[in-house]
Amino acid sequence: LVVSDPTPPDIDTDYSDREPILNYIISKYGEDYSSLIGTTMTMKTKFALKDIVRSKLDGHLPNDHPIHKIAKSVEMPPAGLYPDEKSWLRGYTDDDGNYHKGHLESNETLRTFLKENPKVDKLLWDLLNKPRSNGVHAGGIIITPEPIDELIPTRYKDGRKITQIDHKMIEKIGGIKYDILGVKTLNYITARNSIKERHGINLDPW
């Protein structure tokens, strides 16, 4: 198997409560050498269309405005198949030469609207894939051998240090993402007691 663009592994660990684990990591390595990982939400078609129309209406978008119906007609791209939102709309050819058709080909409602509103059409393509908001990765944390602020730009949110670049960029510069995931289902391992009560089966938790 030849991988043309390999990405480093990420380490996934599941806990019923992630907070004690995060606190342990930060206390062990120090805030100067560890950080939560930030995320950047980019402009998607649905939000961009509404934002463009909202800006033309002095920030107020009535609930009965036609743009809601048009935005609702836009489907979500298949996870991991399209590289970005523009490719999802226009279509693209992948590295293997396979063509993936764009959503505009099948969405006549959106296609007609953009054709009738060329200014909105231009603004849409200018906005797509641009940063819209920042957040925090659901479980990602990075540990660095040198002070993290000398390697990665960071910021603070709710008293915790967070990277200003997302996990994809962290991997590109050589970092490894550790996923410390909180899985509440693990709290319900004691469901074996319910199984015993309902079905008379005594499960070995190991």
Side-chain angles (χ1 to χ4, degrees):
L1 176 65
V2 178
V3 181
S4 58
D5 184 23
T7 57
D10 60 352
I11 291 84
D12 289 0
T13 53
D14 298 339
Y15 300 91
S16 59
D17 184 1
R18 67 188 291 258
E19 287 302 312
I21 308 302
L22 291 177
N23 293 335
Y24 169 77
I25 291 174
I26 293 172
S27 64
K28 178 177 177 61
Y29 296 100
E31 193 178 68
D32 290 337
Y33 295 87
S34 60
S35 171
L36 299 181
I37 295 176
T39 59
T40 300
M41 300 298 292
T42 56
M43 294 292 288
K44 306 296 184 185
T45 307
K46 287 176 180 284
F47 293 114
L49 287 170
K50 292 181 181 180
D51 285 349
I52 292 169
V53 175
R54 185 182 290 112
S55 69
K56 294 179 178 297
L57 298 174
D58 297 324
H60 177 64
L61 186 60
N63 293 330
D64 58 351
H65 195 282
I67 195 63
H68 291 292
K69 181 179 180 180
I70 295 166
K72 191 174 182 180
S73 74
V74 179
E75 299 176 5
M76 294 293 290
L81 182 58
Y82 290 81
D84 56 37
E85 193 75 4
K86 290 184 178 180
S87 299
W88 159 238
L89 286 180
R90 287 176 169 161
Y92 85 107
T93 301
D94 61 27
D95 294 337
D96 297 324
N98 300 315
Y99 176 71
H100 302 267
K101 71 176 183 178
H103 182 56
L104 274 174
E105 293 183 39
S106 59
N107 190 331
E108 185 177 355
T109 300
L110 178 60
R111 191 170 63 249
T112 301
F113 172 77
L114 294 178
K115 186 176 181 179
E116 294 175 349
N117 298 271
K119 290 184 178 179
V120 175
D121 181 59
K122 181 182 184 307
L123 282 172
L124 175 65
W125 296 108
D126 287 343
L127 288 175
L128 289 181
N129 300 332
K130 296 291 193 303
R132 188 175 194 269
S133 62
N134 294 319
V136 184
H137 194 278
I141 189 169
I142 182 173
I143 304 167
T144 56
E146 301 174 32
I148 193 168
D149 289 325
E150 296 180 12
L151 305 171
I152 297 172
T154 61
R155 62 185 175 91
Y156 279 88
K157 179 179 175 60
D158 299 330
R160 279 187 162 162
K161 182 175 284 189
I162 301 168
T163 65
Q164 293 192 54
I165 58 177
D166 63 17
H167 72 278
K168 293 181 180 178
M169 185 59 66
I170 286 174
E171 291 175 346
K172 286 184 178 180
I173 64 175
I176 294 179
K177 173 171 66 74
Y178 296 84
D179 266 346
I180 311 299
L181 300 169
V183 182
K184 292 183 178 180
T185 308
L186 294 176
N187 285 328
Y188 303 123
I189 289 180
T190 52
R192 58 192 284 265
N193 296 330
S194 298
I195 294 174
K196 181 178 180 180
E197 291 176 5
R198 292 181 183 180
H199 305 286
I201 300 173
N202 188 16
L203 293 177
D204 182 348
W206 302 107

